[in-house]
Amino acid sequence: MELLQLMDSAVRLATPLLLAALAGLYSERSGIFDIGLEGKMLIAAFTAGAFSGIAGMPIAEGGWGWTYGMAWFGLFTAIIASVLLSLIHGFASITLRGNQLISGVAVNFFAAGTTVLIGQEWFRAGGQTPSLRGAQRFEPITLPFADAVSEVPVIGPVYADLISGHNIVVYIAILAVPLTWWILFRTRFGLRLRAVGENPGAVDTAGISVVKQRYAAVVIAGILCGLAGAYLSLGTSAAGFVKDMSAGKGFIALAALIFAKWQPRGVLFAALLFGFLEAIGNKYQSVDIGAFVIPVQFMQALPYILTVVILAGFVGKAIPPKAGGEPYVKER
Amino acid sequence: MNKGLPKWADVLLIPVLSLLLALFVSGLVVLFIGRDPIEAVKVMVQGAFGKYGIGYTLYYTTNFIFTGLAVAVAFHARLFNIGGEGQAGLGGVGVALVLLSFNWPNWVVALIAASIGAAIFGAAWAAIPAYLQAKRGSHIVITTIMFNLIGSALINYLLVGPMQAPGMVPETPGFPEAAALPTLHDVFAVFGIAFDKNAPANVSIFIALAALVFVYILIWKTRIGYEIRAFGHSEKAAVYAGISPLKITMIAMLVSGALAGLMAINTVMGEAERLVLDSVQGAGFVGIAVALMGRSHPVGVLLAAFLFGILYQGGGELSFAMGIPREMIVVIQALVIMFTGSLENIVRMPVEKLFLRFNKGGA
């Protein structure tokens, strides 16, 4: 039962990592490094929280008095905000051929600053957005027959507690994995996307625009980060935006991506692994192993430590897309 | 790279234009939240240069010289050290351990010992990411960020555990009184110059200035510096010339981490006189903007650090006088990184065209 609970919260915690790591997958497969996943998630979380909050606020209090669809509206605005940041990153790294790492870092700071700045200006609550209720959030969905089968041993609880009862974004994230695989490995678009990340010169020779292909990848990354961010503020128990709520998840997602060797299926497992570790860290605040007590701070730092361990390559060699990080200069 | 661009345009004109563009966009952000940007600039300048402000401006400048140099040294080896925040935090632990372990009789000896402690701890925190980068190819950007987060957890642990002063506050006991660094007030008083008594600026600023000279000599006047720059230009060529990537990566990152760690003598030893939570306050990240703006050159770093000192102190005034949150500085920082870093070609391309046309006309 305890394990089931852990796995359940692992799925919840893995969702933003999964979406962000898939965002990184599209971007990096096309040859654009994206350190800015973190910032895009953060700005999306803020926008989603702010607009869902305003839309659902009663007219008397200065809101728009909506009664349904606020969460979807919040998601929509989150995706727009995240894609805008993606386009800035794209403009810097594709059109201007600037340094992609620096651009990503700038995006992160920009998001960290503006979310609090604008949040304080709009809501005057130290950068928080109003706390969200009802249709302002994505509420858990009970899958069909969940109650009926919950009495069946083993399969019942797994279906009722682990598989059912998440919000829509969790299911979108999981479905995004096979979809991404299909797009990248079974469509012409995906083949071209991977090709510009490996050998842009060849793609260019074939008469396909490297620039367009990379912009497309960067925009998809923006959409996925928008989903990840909206999930943070609308789909978790935070029920609103809190300052710096992405808390390094964008970077952990990058590590998950490397761990997954830039493969969609691997990304799913890596995200679940990190989610599981975070769930353990949350559940067992300090662990007494007899001789001494592992302090709570260590448990909190565990996902970060694991990220380093994984990057250290104790899991085998990960070969990144060949043209990653390199601006493409057309030959004349 | 710079086709026909004179040197002065490359090192002066383009950074200044980029900076102006960044500040202009920052002004738009201020406008967006419904405030008057001109008024904001006035408040900032007055706040940063006023009688009480300048001592804080110089205090922040000292921090940013250290962290800016840290990023700059790593940049020369084409390593992107985002870990200044963690390295400076651990530098603080080093300072605290040194100063608490012994009842220091006077501040000069204490300062030397604390500087060594700060540098060693800062360097140690950079060592693991450096080694993993060189040996295992682990992305140093991600590992240094992770080390920031791990470092902050470690310091949290130390300050509520082994290093905590008696009581409930998460901080170490105060350092020995004799180890207190003279402030700029004390220094200037010797020469009969009046300086704000309460300002935190202290003698660490002279160590920061010495660090600028040290980095200049290291990078441009020594063999190691030559190897670092060669490695930064082309790893392949450097390896062909017999330069070991492991050695250069380690040296560049150790120096970088040590410089970031040294920041703690200004904040932990000079100002707080004890180790408190979050003693770095984002200065490690400001170093990135400072290094980019200063073109990784000590003179540039000095000017950029002073500019950010003004922005930090003036930004504090903004929240007092105009109610603009301190995060405004983070936004400015982001825009400076963007326009002097990744979006630099927005300025460079038109300027190059202009010069090309001008040169043709002249010839």
Side-chain angles (χ1 to χ4, degrees):
Chain A
M1 212 50 226
E2 203 164 288
L3 183 68
L4 205 61
Q5 269 176 14
L6 268 180
M7 284 165 71
D8 182 53
S9 59
V11 170
R12 289 169 210 275
L13 291 164
T15 299
L17 298 178
L18 178 56
L19 286 164
L22 287 174
L25 181 68
Y26 282 98
S27 192
E28 300 211 342
R29 277 282 186 166
S30 82
I32 304 294
F33 279 158
D34 199 351
I35 300 283
L37 297 174
E38 174 88 1
K40 286 197 278 266
M41 269 165 95
L42 191 63
I43 211 155
F46 169 74
T47 320
F51 281 99
S52 174
I54 293 173
M57 205 184 280
I59 295 171
E61 290 171 30
W64 304 343
W66 294 14
T67 50
Y68 62 89
M70 294 84 90
W72 289 101
F73 178 66
L75 173 63
F76 174 70
T77 58
I79 289 176
I80 289 179
S82 169
V83 168
L84 282 177
L85 276 192
S86 270
L87 288 174
I88 293 178
H89 183 58
F91 182 62
S93 24
I94 304 167
T95 306
L96 292 181
R97 298 177 214 131
N99 184 317
Q100 300 173 8
L101 294 179
I102 292 173
S103 171
V105 168
V107 163
N108 290 337
F109 284 132
F110 185 77
T114 45
T115 48
V116 179
L117 194 67
I118 297 173
Q120 174 67 13
E121 197 54 35
W122 286 357
F123 305 108
R124 310 217 163 275
Q128 287 194 10
T129 61
S131 121
L132 307 175
R133 295 184 297 274
Q136 289 175 316
R137 303 180 54 205
F138 289 113
E139 288 184 287
I141 298 169
T142 309
L143 294 182
F145 316 115
D147 290 331
V149 297
S150 65
E151 298 303 320
V152 181
V154 188
I155 301 170
V158 166
Y159 183 75
D161 296 335
L162 185 59
I163 297 177
S164 168
H166 296 289
N167 65 53
I168 183 81
V169 186
V170 177
Y171 298 113
I172 293 176
I174 289 168
L175 288 178
V177 176
L179 184 66
T180 297
W181 175 83
W182 185 76
I183 289 175
L184 283 181
F185 297 96
R186 286 295 178 270
T187 67
R188 184 190 302 193
F189 173 82
L191 176 66
R192 289 175 175 179
L193 190 144
R194 286 182 291 129
V196 292
E198 296 290 341
N199 190 343
V203 179
D204 201 13
T205 313
I208 300 156
S209 164
V210 174
V211 169
K212 270 188 203 158
Q213 199 67 46
R214 286 190 166 169
Y215 265 109
V218 163
V219 167
I220 295 174
I223 294 170
L224 288 166
C225 282
L227 271 161
Y231 176 80
L232 290 180
S233 56
L234 306 183
T236 65
S237 54
F241 174 80
V242 189
K243 181 182 170 181
D244 291 333
M245 78 185 304
S246 49
K249 288 194 170 62
F251 303 111
I252 295 180
L254 281 177
L257 182 59
I258 296 170
F259 188 29
K261 304 196 174 91
W262 292 270
Q263 296 289 344
R265 189 174 20 155
V267 165
L268 176 64
F269 289 120
L272 283 171
L273 175 66
F274 277 107
F276 190 69
L277 275 164
E278 210 181 325
I280 292 177
N282 289 348
K283 188 169 167 68
Y284 305 104
Q285 291 290 309
S286 52
V287 182
D288 193 342
I289 53 168
F292 62 99
V293 179
I294 298 176
V296 52
Q297 289 86 359
F298 179 82
M299 297 305 288
Q300 282 162 353
L302 203 58
Y304 309 134
I305 296 170
L306 185 86
T307 303
V308 175
V309 172
I310 281 174
L311 288 177
F314 292 115
V315 286
K317 197 161 173 59
I319 300 163
K322 214 172 175 183
E326 296 289 328
Y328 178 64
V329 185
K330 209 176 167 77
E331 279 180 57
R332 281 174 227 273
Chain B
M1 277 296 275
N2 42 352
K3 323 160 208 163
L5 211 55
K7 197 161 185 234
W8 66 270
D10 189 38
V11 299
L12 203 71
L13 184 64
I14 287 175
V16 168
L17 286 178
S18 304
L19 177 68
L20 288 178
L21 203 55
L23 293 180
F24 175 73
V25 178
S26 309
L28 294 182
V29 174
V30 174
L31 213 56
F32 177 76
I33 59 167
R35 305 298 163 77
D36 179 1
I38 309 282
E39 177 72 22
V41 170
K42 270 189 203 157
V43 168
M44 283 182 101
V45 171
Q46 278 166 6
F49 290 104
K51 189 164 161 251
Y52 300 107
I54 186 75
Y56 283 89
T57 303
L58 291 176
Y59 169 73
Y60 291 125
T61 303
T62 309
N63 286 344
F64 304 152
I65 291 175
F66 283 124
T67 56
L69 284 177
V71 178
V73 168
F75 266 154
H76 279 291
R78 203 176 283 185
L79 293 165
F80 197 176
N81 177 14
I82 312 199
E85 196 74 8
Q87 289 143 19
L90 265 287
V93 174
V95 166
L97 285 176
V98 166
L99 292 180
L100 290 172
S101 65
F102 187 71
N103 197 8
W104 296 94
N106 85 16
W107 65 269
V108 179
V109 197
L111 178 58
I112 295 169
S115 300
I116 295 171
I120 288 178
F121 271 69
W125 209 241
I128 303 170
Y131 183 80
L132 293 178
Q133 165 79 48
K135 270 289 187 199
R136 321 279 313 193
S138 321
H139 208 306
I140 202 159
V141 171
I142 308 177
T143 47
T144 49
I145 287 170
M146 289 301 128
F147 267 72
N148 287 340
L149 297 164
I150 299 168
S152 126
L154 176 65
I155 292 168
N156 274 351
Y157 166 71
L158 291 174
L159 289 183
V160 296
M163 289 178 74
Q164 191 180 20
M168 294 301 290
V169 193
E171 58 183 34
T172 63
F175 300 146
E177 227 160 79
L181 291 182
T183 61
L184 285 191
H185 166 79
D186 304 327
V187 175
F188 284 131
V190 175
F191 303 102
I193 303 167
F195 195 84
D196 179 24
K197 199 169 173 219
N198 299 315
N202 58 67
V203 291
S204 309
I205 194 167
F206 300 111
I207 300 200
L209 297 174
L212 287 164
V213 178
F214 164 78
V215 168
Y216 175 76
I217 294 172
L218 174 76
I219 298 292
W220 279 279
K221 301 289 171 204
T222 67
R223 193 193 169 92
I224 288 289
Y226 174 76
E227 291 186 355
I228 288 177
R229 284 181 295 136
F231 180 76
H233 266 289
S234 162
E235 190 176 334
K236 263 189 200 155
V239 170
Y240 189 69
I243 296 170
S244 147
L246 175 67
K247 182 181 136 197
I248 294 305
T249 304
M250 289 304 289
I251 290 177
M253 279 301 286
L254 288 178
V255 171
S256 175
L259 285 164
L262 275 173
M263 190 199 105
I265 58 170
N266 187 43
T267 52
V268 177
M269 185 179 187
E271 203 252 341
E273 297 180 355
R274 56 170 57 77
L275 183 61
V276 297
L277 279 182
D278 194 22
S279 64
V280 188
Q281 295 191 335
F285 294 128
V286 178
I288 300 167
V290 169
L292 281 173
M293 225 183 91
R295 291 299 167 98
S296 298
H297 190 284
V299 176
V301 166
L302 175 65
L303 294 175
F306 186 54
L307 179 86
F308 269 94
I310 296 169
L311 288 176
Y312 252 62
Q313 171 52 19
E317 290 298 312
L318 274 188
S319 54
F320 275 127
M322 294 176 72
I324 299 175
R326 275 198 78 90
E327 274 72 14
M328 184 64 220
I329 307 167
V330 181
V331 177
I332 298 178
Q333 196 179 317
L335 292 167
V336 169
I337 296 176
M338 236 178 242
F339 283 102
T340 60
S342 56
L343 292 176
E344 198 211 19
N345 279 342
I346 253 183
V347 173
R348 184 177 285 274
M349 283 173 174
V351 169
E352 273 178 358
K353 257 186 206 153
L354 217 66
F355 269 92
L356 218 60
R357 187 175 300 171
F358 190 72
N359 285 347
K360 266 185 198 156

